[in-house]
Amino acid sequence: MDPHLLRTFVSVARRASFSEAARDLGFTPSAVSQHIATLEADLRTPLLTRRPVAPTAAGARLLEHAGPLLRGLDAARADVERLAGATAARLTLCASPLAMTVRVAAALAEARRAHPGVRTAVRVLGRGEIPAAVAAGQFDLGLTDGLAAPGDPLPLPAGGPLSALAVAEGSLVVPLPLGHPLARRLGLRLTDLADARWLDAPEAAVPLRRLRAASGTDGFRAALRYEGTDVRALLALAAAGHGLALLPHSAAEGTPGLVAVPLVSPRLVHRVELLHAAALHDPAADFAELVTGIVAGTGTGTGSGGHRYE
């Protein structure tokens, strides 16, 4: 199966349009049609209906396989290029908003001091984008975060072979305006807050769907949707009384106009993990050791705090 044809198929299926896929890929619409026809001839079955453009049953199954296959090819290319020295020395990092902590920034600064002149880049991405971006070799390392029971790894989606190392676990709080009726509480239970008004901030706070899953309720109605990644802006909205949010204590601590009340039930923590897809070499290996305290050079993800996703 030709991976070029497979990429074309994925683009058409996701865009539900031959012309939009052609624009994304830099091909003509007729070339895209020919790619799909060639792939269908190779597999001896229709993969897409034409009006409307949508995957057939066979196409839907192929789409399930296509993502991991293409990410695996991208990861293999990036790994070989790194091994062959085809890419310049670099330290590239993607991170979810709540994973970019003071500790992470300090480790990055120390790694850069130890490797002057190395090209360094940091990009903030959504949690769901990070595993695939790291697996495909777009970034050397990825920092992601989420809810977990103490000591448990994060449930990451499949995105090619990934190793994960624990960076930190911290307590969770609900930042409340000073005059809020619950602001004097010593602790809060999640189930008691199910009927409150919440800020729907899927990247800058714990997503509401995770709160529903953790509490086993259907509550947590969104009073306001916040689609940014700036946690300070989210806290300003909370201080003004627009709604509640669940955040790591480190993100909410010391915010004027807010009291950070700890979450006491269920027993959950905010966990940050470092992802990498290949054996790490300096300066990425140095940064990984600085931020986790674990030698991550083998790419196996073994040892204290390490686990592997295939």
Side-chain angles (χ1 to χ4, degrees):
M1 189 185 306
D2 188 329
H4 296 294
L5 303 182
L6 190 58
R7 290 184 193 279
T8 301
F9 165 72
V10 169
S11 183
V12 174
R14 289 179 176 170
R15 283 290 201 170
S17 167
F18 280 73
S19 60
E20 289 187 18
R23 188 161 45 249
D24 289 345
L25 297 169
F27 299 145
T28 64
S30 61
V32 169
S33 295
Q34 183 59 47
H35 285 187
I36 300 301
T38 302
L39 185 60
E40 289 177 329
D42 179 29
L43 295 176
R44 300 179 183 179
T45 186
L47 299 172
L48 295 165
T49 59
R50 269 41 177 190
R51 294 184 180 177
V53 176
T56 62
R61 182 59 57 85
L62 179 61
L63 201 58
E64 292 175 6
H65 290 288
L69 285 171
L70 294 175
R71 287 194 293 270
L73 288 172
D74 290 340
R77 173 181 287 276
D79 201 15
V80 170
E81 287 178 344
R82 278 192 293 264
L83 188 63
T87 56
R90 68 176 196 177
L91 175 53
T92 56
L93 174 70
C94 60
S96 56
L98 292 177
M100 275 302 300
T101 63
V102 172
R103 176 182 174 184
V104 169
L108 185 61
E110 189 169 343
R112 294 185 68 194
R113 282 193 294 270
H115 300 276
V118 169
R119 180 172 64 88
T120 306
V122 178
R123 183 181 299 177
V124 175
L125 294 178
R127 295 181 186 91
E129 300 175 272
I130 290 172
V134 175
Q138 298 172 25
F139 297 89
D140 301 312
L141 300 163
L143 281 161
T144 190
D145 74 288
L147 286 185
D152 281 358
L154 296 178
L156 298 180
L162 286 175
S163 296
L165 298 168
V167 173
E169 287 187 356
S171 59
L172 291 154
V173 299
V174 180
L176 298 172
L178 295 176
H180 195 282
L182 301 177
R184 294 187 178 182
R185 291 277 189 95
L186 297 179
L188 294 168
R189 296 183 301 178
L190 201 54
T191 51
D192 293 340
L193 303 173
D195 294 330
R197 299 165 66 250
W198 284 81
L199 293 167
D200 184 12
E203 297 299 344
V206 176
L208 297 188
R209 59 179 177 78
R210 292 290 290 117
L211 300 186
R212 296 185 190 104
S215 66
T217 70
D218 294 326
F220 304 98
R221 297 185 302 274
L224 185 148
R225 171 82 174 182
Y226 175 68
E227 297 182 355
T229 59
D230 187 336
V231 179
R232 291 174 301 176
L234 177 68
L235 289 168
L237 292 171
H242 290 284
L244 306 184
L246 186 64
L247 291 163
H249 181 267
S250 58
E253 184 181 14
T255 304
L258 289 172
V259 177
V261 183
L263 179 72
V264 295
S265 176
R267 191 165 173 259
L268 296 170
V269 295
H270 175 254
R271 183 176 172 96
V272 178
E273 292 185 350
L274 182 73
L275 308 182
H276 64 98
L280 294 179
H281 304 284
D282 292 341
D286 279 0
F287 171 78
E289 186 173 357
L290 285 166
V291 82
T292 66
I294 302 169
V295 178
T298 62
T300 61
T302 57
S304 175
H307 50 284
R308 189 168 175 83
Y309 300 88
E310 299 284 1

